[in-house]
Each structure stands twice: as C-alpha cells, then as structure tokens.
Amino acid sequence: MPSLLYAVARNPALPPELLRRLLDRAETDGELAWALADRPDLGPEQVRQLAERHEGAALLLAEAGLLGAEDVDPLTRPTAAVRLLDEGRGKPDWALLLARCPDPAVRERLAACPDLPPDAAGLLALDGSVDVVAELAVNTTHADLLTRLAAHPVARVRCWAAANEAMPAELLTALLDDPEVPVREQAAGNPATPGAAAARLAADHVMVRQTLATHPGLPAEAYHRLGGDEIPLVRANLAGNPGIDDRLIRRLAEDDGHDVRRSLAHHPRVPLDVLARIAAATRTGPALLPRIATADPVELTELAGSSEPRVRALVAARRDLPAALRDRLAADPDARVVKAVAPHPGLAGRRLALLVDRFGPGVATAVARNPGAPTDLLDRLAALPLAGRARHAVAAHPNASPALLADCLAAQDRRTAEAAAANPALPVAVMAELMAGHLSGP
C-alpha cells in the first residue's frame, strides 16, 4: 500500500535520517514530495529541495509560510509565486509577469489576489478567458475596473461582479435590474447592496428570493414577507439570517418546511427556549451551535437539566464546561449525551472506561477522540467490533500502543492503516520497516 509511505512521511516523529531518505526519493515521486511538504519541521535547505522538485509541494510550502520570495522563481513555480502574492509576501513585479502566464489557471488564481497593481489588474480585465475576468470581477477593489466589470457584456462576469462587496452601492443597485437572473441573485445577497433597494426583489425569481433571504440588512417588512414564501429553501435561508427579529424567529420555529428549523437552530440569537423546542424535534447536527457556544454557566446548567436528551446533548458538545457539569453529563443515561461529552479533554481515564462499560461500541469513536484516553482503554476499544470511524480514531490516538498500531497497519481499511502509519507513537523501527518495503523498488 504505497499510501502508507506517504503517511509515514507526514509522521511528526519521523527521525532525521529517515526523513533524509524520503527527501531523496521525492525527486522521482511527486506524491511523496507533496506529503513531505506538510511537515512543519523542514529546514530551509529541505524546503528549497522540495520546492525545486514538485510544483504542488512548492505551493503547500508557500501556504505554510516556509517558502519565501527569495526561494521562488515565478517562471518555473508560478502557482507558488501567486500564493506568495496572495499573502502579501511576493515581489510586486511578479504580478504583471504572471498576468502574462500562458496557463489560464495561474492567471485565474492571480485574479483572486488582493491589491494587485493597476497594470496587472487591467491586463487581467482584458483576458481572453472568462474565468479569469470573472475571478477578477469578484475580487478587485480598483474603482475603474469595478465600473467596467459591472457593465461587462458577458453575464457571468457581471454575476461575479455583483458578488463583490467592494462594488459601490449605486452599481449594485443598478445590477438589481439586470435581465439575467444569476446577476440579480448575486446582487440581492451582497451585504453591500442597500437593503431598501434589494427588498424590491422579494417577489422576483425563486433563485433571487433564496439569496435575498440571506441579506443581513433588509427592512423588517421584507423579512416578514419572505417568511411567508412558498419555497421552503427561501424560509430556511431566512432562518439563519442574523438580521431577522425575534418575532420572525418564533414564527419560523413553528415552520415544518425542509431545513427551516435546522437552519434556525444555527441562528446566533435564537432564544434558548426556542432552541430547546427545535432540538427536541429536529436533527441539528453534531457541530456546536452558536447560541450554545455563547451561553453563560446559568443557561448551560438550566439546559443540562432538560428532560429531553437531545437538549442535554447540545450542552455536552461544549469543551469548556465546568467540571461538575461535565461529569454530570458524562453520567447521563442517554447515549446521545454521553457521545457528545466523551471527547471532553477534562474527563479522566477511569470515567471514560465507565462510559465504555455502559455503552460499548456505541461510544467507541467518541471515547477514542478524547485526547486523554489511556493506552489500556484504547487496547480495549480495539477489541470491540468497531465501525470504520472508531477504528480510525483509535489508530490515530497518540496513546495507542505499539501492538495496537501494528494491528491497525495490517487492517484492510486503508484510512485506519494510514492513521497508524502517521501516528507519532509508531516505533521508529516500524517506520523504517515500512519505508524499506516501499523504497526497495527502482
């Protein structure tokens, strides 16, 4: 499995001598060069060596801040040069040079860079590739170009220009009357478009209304009108809009349209009583909800006392809970709550073991994601009939034993084997053995 070699190349515990051998091989193995470029411990000479050998590696090194302008020739490594320009670390004279690059993909990436010199931006505005011009339209801040691109004869360019938040309000207002639906759609959702002007599209094409519902500055009456739209996606988009008022939030909480309540659960100002009702009847997903993230200790305690386990699970997703509340949730009788709290870094190993005693494989993935899970517990988890995600989590844990990692390396599941190969707990002798098996060829 060649991918194991690439996983070893990313292993943070790889000794210098083994790293040197892999760097030598990278000259003829582009994917290996790409894997090595992910390492944060490369020295300046190793960075230059990789950048010279593989364009993709050079790009990753530039993104990681390991490659500087002095290390890059824009003619041979144009994508890395563009990345440095994008981050403000490239040489200004590169922009015009790269705007003439024969590869349209490079010019398109260049067009997305902020603060391009006027001569380079002007050349890109005349590019023969619509993709390049469209990318410039959504990113440029040059006033003269914004005016030109907002009136471009190609609708796709005007569409992207309408999404540019640097576009002057008067131009965005004019684009609201564009004959093309996609252009009006982008202008309707642009936060820089005056809300009062955008509101007149509340009866426009459904695509326009769906995007208009995300605009954060519409008048209240426009929001309430959209709240009665016949299309559920319009109402779902509206439910996540931070600009809607409490009265509309409570109205949408009674809406059984597809994704409306789920979207409302992610609203940053949803009242906790509304959120509790939504959680009891709607799948909100595993992510920590914004309103739960900002809840104070009193609110968290109140929610943790809910009779509805799905509400308690929302609280359990916090990773900064007071110890008493965290332990209370870990003792919850419902598996949903326990799975949500199990990765909490404050839980002791003995308490994690009790969770496995009570729920077995059902909490294995969550327990294995706890950074404090001890070695003996991981060995115990590995002996259970685990699903793929749980096996992967066990194999990736830094407390995994050598014996457990050896079993994971032999697993048929590729992700599990790769996680073990990249695990810093993997013995150096095993890393060397894996490398020998893959580097013995030509």
Side-chain angles (χ1 to χ4, degrees), residues 93-163:
D93 59 349
W94 285 356
L96 188 57
L97 178 69
L98 291 166
R100 296 191 174 103
C101 179
D103 185 350
V106 170
R107 303 197 305 275
E108 185 176 348
R109 289 182 178 183
L110 178 66
C113 292
D115 305 319
L116 286 175
D119 54 357
L123 185 58
L124 292 171
L126 300 173
D127 201 281
S129 167
V130 171
D131 291 340
V132 173
V133 182
E135 191 67 47
L136 181 71
V138 76
N139 287 289
T140 188
T141 58
H142 291 288
D144 58 330
L145 290 182
L146 289 170
T147 301
R148 285 168 50 192
L149 295 169
H152 198 278
V154 177
R156 182 156 172 252
V157 174
R158 299 197 307 277
C159 179
W160 285 58

Side-chain angles (χ1 to χ4, degrees), residues 163-188:
N164 189 331
E165 294 185 25
M167 188 70 68
E170 63 273 16
L171 294 179
L172 288 169
T173 300
L175 287 167
L176 293 170
D177 296 320
D178 196 278
E180 298 292 334
V181 168
V183 179
R184 299 199 304 276
E185 177 189 1
Q186 291 301 323

Side-chain angles (χ1 to χ4, degrees), residues 207-403:
M207 298 293 292
V208 175
R209 303 198 312 272
Q210 287 173 6
T211 304
L212 178 65
T214 68
H215 192 296
L218 299 181
E221 58 270 21
Y223 286 136
H224 282 269
R225 180 176 181 181
L226 290 167
D229 199 282
E230 63 179 354
I231 303 298
L233 184 54
V234 173
R235 307 194 304 275
N237 286 351
L238 184 68
N241 190 322
I244 63 176
D245 58 32
D246 285 354
R247 183 162 64 93
L248 184 51
I249 286 175
R250 292 186 179 277
R251 174 183 167 188
L252 291 170
E254 306 303 320
D255 192 323
D256 60 1
H258 180 67
D259 264 358
V260 175
R261 289 176 181 152
R262 179 184 173 92
S263 180
L264 190 62
H266 292 263
H267 194 286
R269 290 187 298 99
V270 60
L272 289 178
D273 64 308
V274 172
L275 181 56
R277 291 202 308 275
I278 293 172
T282 307
R283 291 182 180 273
T284 60
L288 178 65
L289 298 178
R291 183 61 183 88
I292 298 296
T294 59
D296 61 39
V298 173
E299 292 172 327
L300 291 173
T301 300
E302 182 178 348
L303 289 170
S306 170
S307 60
E308 172 53 59
R310 283 170 287 196
V311 174
R312 303 196 300 274
L314 297 181
V315 179
R318 282 269 293 251
R319 295 292 171 260
D320 59 347
L321 295 172
L325 185 55
R326 175 203 66 212
D327 292 346
R328 172 182 163 188
L329 291 167
D332 199 278
D334 192 280
R336 284 169 293 195
V337 180
V338 171
K339 283 195 289 187
V341 78
H344 197 293
L347 289 173
R350 64 182 182 279
R351 190 174 290 275
L352 293 172
L354 288 174
L355 302 186
V356 178
D357 288 341
R358 291 164 56 206
F359 296 100
V363 298
T365 303
V367 170
R369 287 175 177 163
N370 190 301
T375 299
D376 58 344
L377 181 56
L378 294 169
D379 287 340
R380 181 180 165 194
L381 290 175
L384 298 173
L386 298 181
R389 281 187 298 177
R391 287 196 302 272
H392 179 267
V394 170
H397 202 290
N399 291 339
S401 67

